[in-house]
Amino acid sequence: PPSFVSIYLNRTWIGLRFLRALRLMTVPDILQYLNILKTSTSIRLAQLISIFISVWLTAAGIIHLLENSGDPPDFSNAYEVNGTRGLSYWDCVYFMMVTMSTVGYGDISCKTILGKVAIIIFIFGGLAMFASCIPEIIDLIGTRPKYGGCYKNERGRRHIVVCGHITYESVSHFLKDFLHEDREDVDVEVVFLHRAEPDLEFEGLLKRQHTRVKYFQGSLMNAMDLERAKVHEADACLVLANKYCQDPDAEDAANIMRVISIKNYSDDIRVIIQLMQYHNKAYLLNIPSWDWKQGDDVICLAELKLGFIAQSCLAPGFSTMMANLFAMRSFKTSPDMAAWQNDYLQGTGCEMYTETLSPTFTGMSFSQASELCFVKLKLLLLAIEVKSDDGGDSKISINPRGAKIPANTVGFFIAQSAEEVKRAWFYCKACHEDVKDENQIKKCKCKNLATTKPGGPAQSSMVNATKPANNVKKNVSVKEEPKPNMNGRPTNKAAVQQKSAKMEVGIADDQAKDFDFEKTEMKYDSTGMFHWTPARAIEDCILDRNQAAMTVLNGHVVVCLFADPDSPLIGLRNLVMPLRASNFHYHELKHVVIVGSVDYIRREWKTLQNLPKISVLNGSPLSRADLRAVNVNLCDMCVILSAKVPSNDDPTLADKEAILASLNIKAMTFDDTIGVLSQNNGASDSLSPLGSPIVLQRKGSVYGANVPMITELVNDSNVQFLDQDDDDDPDTELYLTQPFACGTAFAVSVLDSLMSTTYFNQNALTLIRSLITGGATPELELILAEGAGLRGGYSTPETLSNRDRCRVGQISLFEGPLASFGEGGKYIDLFVAALRNYGMLCIGLYRFRDTANAFDASSKRYVITNPPTDFNLLPSDQVFVFIHWRGRKTSSV
């Protein structure tokens, strides 16, 4: 103890108490024990600071002891200041810092020999420590994550958390749609959470949107980072997928793990996730807190992409129309543009919106309400939300018939902006019946009074106009007259069906051609939504080139599939199932002929084996002999797909096979003949697993350029190579290019907008999915999640009633009952007549790009979404419609 040393020396002894400063080195360990220090950065920073302070204070204590004690043996030369003996400890601390920092003011210096020796030793050690510790401390402090910290939620403002595949491209596309000016009052802040720091280009985007966008660096798998982003307070969490990844299953697994982490942290948060592969949707059902009814949703890119393409097989160009509807775009027409471009651009400005129908619509049928909206309000009413009587889940009914609209029904509209759709809520029959300008339909003060007379005179007259047709249908059997052609292009197929279908069709029958088919026990799947057949081995459906050539394929779908035996599965089921929807009669189903590698298709076959009318040609989509064998010139649609993994070296080459196949078909020429095949020709029937041969083969395309075709692209910029006669700039956005406007190209990137659409309108994805997939239901999702494929089911009144739903169609104005409108008619007249007489809801036109009869006129068509009411029609136009399963008969009774 210092007191004993003082007695021995007979003088004051300062002692070695300064060595206690070395205990500061244990502070980091203590903080770790207390779970205060958790990150490696904070632990290392604490260690450096404690070492630096401990050495500094200990060295100051040594100088303080030596200078105040003097040199032995007599200790007479102790430090003196102005004749006063002694140097304070804090002076020594100051002196050591000045020495360590190499500043050296000189106001204090060592007087004793021991002090000078100690300072020499300290200079060597202290300077080394100072030179190493201080820069590292500054580096650790300075390199705290720029995008660390916590999200501070402003009072009353919602926020969403976006994670997953976060890059400049994905974020810019997302924000462009999410923050679009057509969205009404988007008072939502977007918080991005990602492991990596944004690059300079990305940082510039964040700075431009800094008032509405925040970025935090962190991991979804870390609860601390989820806390920083205030995930538990977020309105929703969106998980983006990398559409160009090398391994789609691994990408899906990573995103599903992110969802598990989010749900584990906050089980009641709404999650919207993008998935690449359809079969991975089943894993989401295993998450206990995953609940579709609470707004959780999954956007399966493969399912929707192939579903869009499938609907284009039924109505060419429909994929373009739907893609433009759920993407937020503003159109700007110009007199310098071609007329077809202005027509197309006006349609791209239309989007899908929801709005509650005003009390005036209560008690109306859907067709009456849709006609009123279109004629009076200039709005296109597509569907309504129907609430179940037992208080269960509501469902979306597209162009329903029969039922009356209850109060407070939500309608789905196509319009240019959310402001226009408000007319459906503001419309009051008492105040607005005589208003001619739809822009004058605004909120009135007598809305409550208007609800007292739901059955006014105008309403009654509309009901009476449709009653005779309904009575005829209920009480008498009528002859089937020629129906509008539903197969895309004008063909001779309608004439064939007219000849073979002239027999009585009663209400108890299906169609006459389906009579034998109806006797089979199991012809639909267990949900009644899709046609079903007992499982077939793939060998029974494989054609060689000779068998295909001897089979009269006509009006079919050719799928050109590029795939290696080990390529990731793309889910061909999603392409074929919409074409096998039960709201088609069996004889209306188009044969699907897949041209590609059997080794790959064999891996997909488990999901296809229960779907009828599928054949496989083991060949190459680039082989003209194989394409001629499957009569590509007589097909209703040629679909070009690739399952190959994009190369990391040059992603732009990902579409090389699809582009080559497209150009190859366009360069082909075909024999201009009409083939006839006897129905009793047993040779062909025995060689072909396709089923009964077709009696009459229609005249096909002479030039490959006229073959209806849709090409799936991975990279948007490659669309410029599909059409050699277009003048699109390589930097043109996909939706503005000619192939996309014509419906001959489709890229998965157009589905990016669905994330924003689903967040703002939960029912929009349900509507799109029911349109695109042909009727997939949650019940069917659970069945497919088992992995055993579709299950057959016996026909019951309940499952058979599921057939009675709308489907997409395309009718021609060249012939048929609506041909009179093609001769200079107005679109509004066509809309009203089709709705009143046939229950068909017109949603757009498919028009020739060059309407002049010039020799070099192009055969390409383009899409016009929801044309204006006074739009002039042409005989060559085709009309996109939503048509009922049975359709309203054109009767002469």
Side-chain angles (χ1 to χ4, degrees):
S3 57
F4 289 97
V5 178
S6 299
I7 295 171
Y8 174 77
L9 295 177
N10 197 26
R11 59 187 301 273
T12 301
W13 171 251
I14 297 175
L16 302 175
R17 284 172 291 187
F18 59 85
L19 293 177
R20 294 174 183 172
L22 294 174
R23 293 179 182 175
L24 292 174
M25 291 187 180
T26 63
V27 169
D29 296 330
I30 296 171
L31 295 178
Q32 289 180 68
Y33 297 149
L34 296 175
N35 202 29
I36 296 174
L37 297 181
K38 298 177 182 179
T39 65
S40 58
T41 302
S42 60
I43 293 171
R44 180 58 180 160
L45 185 62
Q47 288 174 343
L48 289 172
I49 293 175
S50 63
I51 291 172
F52 178 80
I53 294 176
S54 298
V55 172
W56 176 27
L57 297 180
T58 303
I62 293 172
I63 296 300
H64 180 246
L65 173 65
L66 297 177
E67 286 299 302
N68 285 310
S69 299
D71 291 322
D74 54 358
F75 303 101
S76 59
N77 59 338
Y79 194 95
E80 292 184 3
V81 180
N82 298 326
T84 304
R85 186 184 180 97
L87 182 66
S88 72
Y89 176 75
W90 298 112
D91 288 337
C92 294
V93 170
Y94 161 75
F95 170 60
M96 299 312 293
M97 177 54 70
V98 170
T99 304
M100 265 199 303
S101 63
T102 70
V103 175
Y105 289 121
D107 52 343
I108 298 176
S109 60
C110 293
K111 307 298 184 184
T112 64
I113 296 175
L114 290 178
K116 292 177 181 178
V117 171
I119 202 65
I120 291 172
I121 296 172
F122 176 76
I123 285 174
F124 284 107
L127 284 182
M129 185 194 69
F130 190 90
S132 62
C133 286
I134 296 301
E136 190 173 355
I137 291 172
I138 294 174
D139 187 51
L140 288 172
I141 295 174
T143 56
R144 286 186 63 192
K146 183 178 179 182
Y147 296 97
C150 297
Y151 173 71
K152 296 178 181 175
N153 192 6
E154 296 180 13
R155 183 176 298 177
R157 193 172 189 187
R158 298 176 296 160
H159 79 283
I160 63 169
V161 178
V162 182
C163 52
H165 181 63
I166 305 297
T167 63
Y168 170 75
E169 290 78 13
S170 65
V171 169
S172 57
H173 289 152
F174 174 80
L175 291 179
K176 183 178 180 181
D177 192 80
F178 191 88
L179 302 176
H180 196 275
E181 57 186 6
D182 280 359
R183 295 202 190 277
E184 186 182 15
D185 302 329
V186 184
D187 189 24
V188 181
E189 202 162 19
V190 183
V191 177
F192 292 100
L193 184 61
H194 191 54
R195 294 183 69 93
E197 280 195 16
D199 56 24
L200 293 176
E201 189 178 26
F202 192 176
E203 207 170 45
L205 173 64
L206 296 174
K207 288 178 180 176
R208 291 192 294 273
Q209 300 286 353
H210 72 281
T211 57
R212 296 187 285 185
V213 173
K214 296 289 185 288
Y215 187 99
F216 294 101
Q217 193 173 354
S219 169
L220 262 293
M221 307 304 294
N222 189 332
M224 294 293 296
D225 292 333
L226 295 174
E227 173 68 28
R228 289 171 47 224
K230 297 291 188 290
V231 168
H232 56 287
E233 298 177 7
D235 208 32
C237 190
L238 280 59
V239 185
L240 305 181
N242 179 9
K243 299 182 294 297
Y244 312 111
C245 60
Q246 296 285 307
D247 188 347
D249 284 314
E251 176 71 11
D252 284 350
N255 283 334
I256 291 172
M257 281 302 300
R258 292 184 176 106
V259 175
I260 293 173
S261 175
I262 294 166
K263 285 290 189 179
N264 188 55
Y265 176 76
S266 176
D267 58 2
D268 59 347
I269 186 174
R270 181 185 178 196
V271 176
I272 304 171
I273 178 179
Q274 276 185 343
L275 287 182
M276 299 291 294
Q277 302 286 50
Y278 180 78
H279 57 262
N280 291 325
K281 289 175 69 174
Y283 300 120
L284 291 170
L285 303 177
N286 299 332
I287 303 174
S289 53
W290 180 270
D291 190 354
W292 307 89
K293 298 176 184 178
Q294 298 301 319
D296 294 336
D297 227 325
V298 54
I299 297 169
C300 179
L301 299 178
E303 174 191 24
L304 294 173
K305 172 186 70 178
L306 295 175
F308 273 95
I309 293 173
Q311 295 301 332
S312 285
C313 297
L314 303 170
F318 185 74
S319 60
T320 294
M321 174 180 289
M322 287 302 297
N324 286 336
L325 279 180
F326 61 72
M328 303 298 289
R329 298 184 177 121
S330 298
F331 74 96
K332 294 180 181 178
T333 57
S334 167
D336 299 330
M337 290 183 179
W340 76 267
Q341 288 178 312
N342 281 327
D343 291 341
Y344 168 71
L345 282 175
Q346 185 170 2
T348 63
C350 292
E351 291 94 25
M352 199 178 294
Y353 298 94
T354 57
E355 183 60 81
T356 304
L357 296 174
S358 75
T360 302
F361 292 93
T362 304
M364 288 187 182
S365 68
F366 179 85
S367 58
Q368 294 167 4
S370 185
E371 181 179 336
L372 173 62
C373 287
F374 191 78
V375 175
K376 190 81 175 176
L377 310 182
K378 301 300 186 287
L379 300 173
L380 178 53
L381 177 63
L382 286 182
I384 56 174
E385 185 179 6
V386 180
K387 298 178 181 177
S388 60
D389 298 332
D390 57 359
D393 298 335
S394 59
K395 66 176 184 177
I396 296 170
S397 189
I398 303 166
N399 187 20
R401 56 181 175 182
K404 301 297 183 182
I405 295 177
N408 298 320
T409 297
V410 175
F412 291 77
F413 296 88
I414 292 178
Q416 294 285 349
S417 68
E419 193 65 31
E420 290 184 5
V421 182
K422 288 182 180 178
R423 297 173 198 155
W425 171 242
F426 292 151
Y427 180 72
C428 168
K429 183 180 176 185
C431 299
H432 300 137
E433 190 170 15
D434 298 327
V435 175
K436 302 298 182 185
D437 184 3
E438 66 275 5
N439 295 316
Q440 299 302 315
I441 297 176
K442 298 179 180 177
K443 189 173 183 179
C444 62
K445 296 180 180 179
C446 64
K447 178 176 283 293
N448 293 330
L449 296 175
T451 63
T452 59
K453 296 181 180 180
Q459 216 168 326
S460 300
S461 65
M462 292 182 73
V463 173
N464 291 334
T466 60
K467 275 186 179 176
N470 290 335
N471 291 337
V472 167
K473 187 171 180 181
K474 288 180 181 176
N475 300 324
V476 300
S477 298
V478 296
K479 290 189 177 182
E480 181 79 4
E481 293 292 331
K483 292 177 26 176
N485 179 20
M486 302 298 299
N487 294 315
R489 300 172 297 161
T491 70
N492 292 338
K493 195 183 297 183
V496 177
Q497 294 179 1
Q498 182 180 351
K499 291 178 182 178
S500 60
K502 286 185 176 178
M503 57 167 50
E504 295 292 324
V505 181
I507 196 67
D509 305 331
D510 235 1
Q511 281 198 346
K513 293 190 77 171
D514 279 345
F515 185 73
D516 292 335
F517 173 68
E518 288 289 325
K519 291 181 180 178
T520 61
E521 291 184 344
M522 298 175 71
K523 54 191 178 294
Y524 301 111
D525 76 304
S526 55
T527 65
M529 304 298 282
F530 295 94
H531 286 273
W532 182 88
T533 187
R536 298 157 299 154
I538 189 173
E539 285 73 18
D540 297 335
C541 300
I542 293 178
L543 296 171
D544 60 29
R545 193 180 295 169
N546 293 330
Q547 286 177 313
M550 294 181 67
T551 304
V552 183
L553 292 166
N554 184 28
H556 55 301
V557 175
V558 176
V559 180
C560 297
L561 178 61
F562 292 94
D564 297 322
D566 59 346
S567 294
L569 300 180
I570 60 172
L572 284 174
R573 168 173 59 192
N574 302 124
L575 175 66
V576 180
M577 280 180 65
L579 303 175
R580 299 292 174 262
S582 61
N583 55 359
F584 288 97
H585 296 287
Y586 185 80
H587 72 273
E588 293 176 324
L589 301 181
K590 299 178 187 292
H591 269 118
V592 175
V593 183
I594 306 172
V595 181
S597 167
V598 167
D599 292 334
Y600 173 83
I601 298 169
R602 197 181 302 275
R603 295 168 53 211
E604 292 257 18
W605 190 250
K606 185 175 69 172
T607 62
L608 300 174
Q609 61 186 3
N610 294 112
L611 298 171
K613 295 190 180 183
I614 300 177
S615 298
V616 177
L617 177 65
N618 187 17
S620 169
L622 291 173
S623 167
R624 291 193 175 189
D626 290 340
L627 294 172
R628 292 185 194 279
V630 298
N631 288 358
V632 71
N633 59 313
L634 296 174
C635 71
D636 273 355
M637 182 59 69
C638 178
V639 178
I640 301 176
L641 302 173
S642 177
K644 294 188 175 181
V645 176
S647 169
N648 274 334
D649 300 333
D650 192 352
T652 56
L653 294 179
D655 300 311
K656 57 184 182 296
E657 291 94 353
I659 292 170
L660 289 174
S662 174
L663 297 179
N664 180 44
I665 295 172
K666 290 176 182 176
M668 294 172 68
T669 55
F670 303 92
D671 185 18
D672 184 13
T673 59
I674 299 178
V676 178
L677 181 69
S678 170
Q679 196 164 3
N680 297 323
N681 188 338
S684 170
D685 199 30
S686 61
L687 283 172
S688 168
L690 288 173
S692 59
I694 292 171
V695 178
L696 181 63
Q697 176 179 330
R698 64 174 167 82
K699 186 174 180 180
S701 303
V702 180
Y703 301 105
N706 294 333
V707 173
M709 193 183 317
I710 183 166
T711 306
E712 184 231 344
L713 298 176
V714 174
N715 197 307
D716 292 4
S717 61
N718 287 332
V719 72
Q720 60 181 309
F721 305 119
L722 285 179
D723 274 345
Q724 302 300 307
D725 61 341
D726 66 354
D727 52 358
D728 291 327
D729 190 311
D731 296 327
T732 305
E733 286 189 77
L734 176 68
Y735 83 97
L736 295 173
T737 61
Q738 178 179 293
F740 187 78
C742 297
T744 59
F746 189 83
V748 71
S749 62
V750 303
L751 301 177
D752 288 343
S753 304
L754 271 179
M755 291 295 279
S756 304
T757 304
T758 305
Y759 167 71
F760 284 108
N761 186 353
Q762 184 179 342
N763 289 324
L765 183 61
T766 308
L767 175 65
I768 291 166
R769 191 182 284 132
S770 61
L771 272 176
I772 296 305
T773 61
T777 60
E779 180 188 358
L780 183 67
E781 297 276 354
L782 292 172
I783 293 171
L784 296 178
E786 296 291 329
L790 283 174
R791 295 202 301 257
Y794 291 98
S795 297
T796 65
E798 184 181 355
T799 58
L800 290 177
S801 67
N802 287 336
R803 298 178 299 176
D804 193 10
R805 60 189 193 275
C806 258
R807 69 172 190 251
V808 179
Q810 206 171 56
I811 61 174
S812 172
L813 296 184
F814 184 73
E815 57 185 1
L818 298 178
S820 59
F821 296 99
E823 298 293 342
K826 299 290 186 182
Y827 183 74
I828 188 172
D829 299 326
L830 169 68
F831 183 92
V832 173
L835 193 60
R836 286 183 178 179
N837 300 329
Y838 307 104
M840 294 187 297
L841 185 65
C842 301
I843 56 175
L845 298 176
Y846 199 41
R847 172 169 288 189
F848 278 120
R849 196 188 70 183
D850 298 329
T851 53
N853 294 322
F855 176 74
D856 59 346
S858 171
S859 63
K860 294 183 176 66
R861 293 178 180 268
Y862 66 98
V863 175
I864 306 175
T865 307
N866 190 24
T869 54
D870 58 348
F871 196 78
N872 291 317
L873 302 174
L874 297 175
S876 59
D877 288 345
Q878 292 180 357
V879 187
F880 293 103
V881 294
F882 289 143
I883 189 168
H884 293 296
W885 178 64
R886 294 180 186 275
R888 298 259 293 274
K889 311 287 193 296
T890 55
S891 173
S892 58
V893 176

